[in-house]
Amino acid sequence: MKKKALFFDYDGTLISDETHTIPKSARKVLNKLKDKEYLLFLNTGRTKAILDPIISELDFDGQILGCGSYIEYHDKVLYDVDVDKQLYEAIIQKVAACHVDAFFEGTHALYMTHGIQSPRLLNLLERYHDANMVMKSVDDLEDDFVKMFVSYQDLDKEQEFHDFIIQNFEYIDRGQHCAELILKGHSKATGIQFIMDKLNIDIENCYVFGDSNNDLAMFRFVENSALLGNANEHLHEEVMHVCSDVDHDGLMEAVNAFQLL
């Protein structure tokens, strides 16, 4: 029997956006899938520094983090890349000049700009603080940076920063004048391709589960795709199945749609 590999986004797919917990139904699904000896991978935009500790309770075979920039399989690091250090100063200066609230996300720490005003970023900081994640000032950013999350204080500067940053980063609009910035040449899809090549898995035996814009690359790459939650209507045409959200047994619904159990 050929290996089947299942790739799961985290936020909004495994963990509830409302309660910030993993519903019992989602845990039950993952355990059943593991019993069937499928290969299970976390495929998230989060970098290692901001992974919830609860992830360790889930029995994944591997992790694709930072949208394909860091890959582990059975606790062995297979791929790891950082932003070129020669770009650091120019990026930090542009962030300041355009009045951008920014997270610089790495493997070992999250670095942040001063005077963050964005309610969205402040809410994330509260969650990260409660989870005892390592957070530092952008002044301490010397290495270990692969990804950004930004919010604009000055909307008149949004286009200027966009045009600057897309020289080196993929730009994913996350709504509310926020964006996720991923190192060019990387995505959740490239992470899947890496695993397919490494483990000799056919694409027709891959399945992906996500809920938002940063899952678009893997939705378009893998035909066996499921969208959890109905709010992102523009993504409906990108997937094979549209299911309920994770709070309403959406993961079980998606797995059953593929007849995996």
Side-chain angles (χ1 to χ4, degrees):
M1 181 177 177
K2 291 186 177 181
K3 291 177 286 188
K4 293 184 185 295
L6 283 58
F7 300 85
F8 301 88
D9 171 52
Y10 182 60
D11 293 284
T13 301
L14 296 179
I15 189 169
S16 167
D17 286 331
E18 299 297 324
T19 66
H20 306 308
T21 61
I22 300 173
K24 290 181 179 179
S25 62
R27 290 176 178 267
K28 184 177 180 180
V29 171
L30 292 176
N31 288 335
K32 285 186 174 182
L33 292 170
K34 194 67 177 178
D35 289 342
K36 295 281 285 188
E37 298 186 354
Y38 298 132
L39 295 175
L40 306 184
F41 292 89
L42 183 67
N43 193 2
T44 177
R46 292 203 191 204
T47 60
K48 198 170 181 67
I50 54 174
L51 273 186
D52 282 335
I54 199 171
I55 287 292
S56 63
E57 300 174 13
L58 304 178
D59 192 13
F60 285 107
D61 292 281
Q63 298 182 131
I64 301 170
L65 308 180
C67 290
S69 60
Y70 180 97
I71 301 173
E72 287 183 358
Y73 181 62
H74 289 163
D75 297 322
K76 180 180 179 181
V77 179
L78 302 182
Y79 184 80
D80 187 12
V81 65
D82 293 326
V83 173
D84 188 338
K85 290 187 69 173
Q86 294 182 355
L87 299 174
Y88 282 26
E89 184 176 353
I91 294 172
I92 292 170
Q93 288 180 355
K94 198 65 174 182
V95 161
C98 291
H99 311 293
V100 174
D101 288 340
F103 289 167
F104 297 79
E105 302 172 9
T107 301
H108 304 293
L110 170 75
Y111 305 86
M112 70 196 82
T113 51
H114 300 284
I116 287 178
Q117 298 180 14
S118 165
R120 191 166 179 177
L121 269 63
L122 289 172
N123 179 60
L124 288 172
L125 283 177
E126 183 177 356
R127 288 175 58 189
Y128 296 163
H129 180 269
D130 291 344
N132 296 315
M133 295 175 184
V134 179
M135 297 182 290
K136 299 181 179 182
S137 164
V138 68
D139 299 336
D140 298 321
L141 181 61
E142 296 181 352
D143 54 22
D144 182 39
F145 149 51
V146 70
K147 187 170 168 285
M148 297 178 68
F149 195 90
V150 301
S151 179
Y152 297 94
Q153 293 184 17
D154 184 351
L155 301 187
D156 291 336
K157 295 285 189 178
E158 187 170 354
Q159 190 64 48
E160 179 183 342
F161 185 77
H162 169 276
D163 293 346
F164 164 79
I165 206 68
I166 61 171
Q167 298 173 60
N168 295 289
F169 289 81
E170 305 290 347
Y171 192 99
I172 300 176
D173 186 346
R174 297 305 300 268
Q176 302 174 341
H177 300 287
C178 295
E180 192 170 7
L181 310 177
I182 303 161
L183 192 61
K184 272 193 179 297
H186 296 80
S187 70
K188 291 186 177 183
T190 66
I192 294 172
Q193 182 69 71
F194 184 96
I195 290 296
M196 287 170 52
D197 293 342
K198 192 75 175 177
L199 303 182
N200 193 27
I201 299 171
D202 296 328
I203 195 165
E204 59 266 26
N205 289 319
C206 293
Y207 299 79
V208 299
F209 306 82
D211 76 306
S212 67
N213 288 349
N214 82 345
D215 299 310
L216 184 57
M218 68 176 185
F219 287 157
R220 290 178 171 173
F221 182 60
V222 177
E223 183 177 5
N224 299 319
S225 54
L227 174 71
L228 272 66
N230 297 309
N232 294 295
E233 292 185 3
H234 62 286
L235 294 176
H236 287 196
E237 63 185 23
E238 304 287 351
V239 297
M240 182 178 290
H241 299 292
V242 178
C243 304
S244 304
D245 62 42
V246 68
D247 288 302
H248 296 89
D249 301 334
L251 192 60
M252 177 62 82
E253 185 181 334
V255 166
N256 286 338
F258 292 123
Q259 299 182 333
L260 289 168
L261 292 176

